[in-house]
Amino acid sequence: MTTRDIDESVNAELNRLRESIDNIDAAVVHMLAERFKCTQQVGHLKAAHQLPPADPARESRQIARLRQLAESAHLDPAFAEKLLNFIVAEVIRHHERIAEESATNGEGA
Ligand SMILES: C=C(O[C@@H]1C=C(C(=O)O)C=C[C@H]1O)C(=O)O
């Protein structure tokens, strides 16, 4: 086997792995888009019924659940928690904006 053959086989393996990584990244984007579609609806429901944008008790339950799932999947639970917190923070910002718009437009109530 020549150095060139090794280079080619390493390249082929790298490309194979990167194709899977690209597919996974695409799935993550699609799943996040679906999640945000749901949370937008939750935001409108909350605004219409004067419910607060954030629900810390619900978040605590989600974190406990995700940490357990992460552990059984051999993913760092601290990373899973940080990721969820990052997403939820963005959702809460959306909910605050929806509530402000709803108050300005006199919707809900
Ligand atoms: C989506 C909600 O609003 C907020 C966002 C959450 C989320 O993104 O999962 C969870 C709790 C709330 O702080 C909700 O209350 O269910």
Side-chain angles (χ1 to χ4, degrees), residues 54-68 81 84-85 88 92:
D55 184 341
R58 160 84 173 144
E59 290 170 32
S60 296
R61 292 194 300 274
Q62 287 169 285
I63 287 167
R65 177 173 171 268
L66 267 199
R67 288 187 67 103
Q68 276 191 347
E81 179 170 350
L84 184 71
N85 282 335
V88 170
I92 291 169

Side-chain angles (χ1 to χ4, degrees), residues 35-36 38-40 42-43 46 52-59 62 84 87-92 95:
R35 192 184 198 280
F36 275 98
C38 292
T39 55
Q40 286 296 94
V42 170
K46 286 179 172 179
D55 184 341
R58 160 84 173 144
E59 290 170 32
Q62 287 169 285
L84 184 71
I87 295 168
V88 170
E90 179 69 9
V91 170
I92 291 169
H95 286 186

Side-chain angles (χ1 to χ4, degrees), residues 21-36:
I21 290 168
D22 286 347
N23 285 344
I24 293 165
D25 287 349
V28 168
V29 164
H30 284 117
M31 285 191 288
L32 276 177
E34 285 304 308
R35 192 184 198 280
F36 275 98

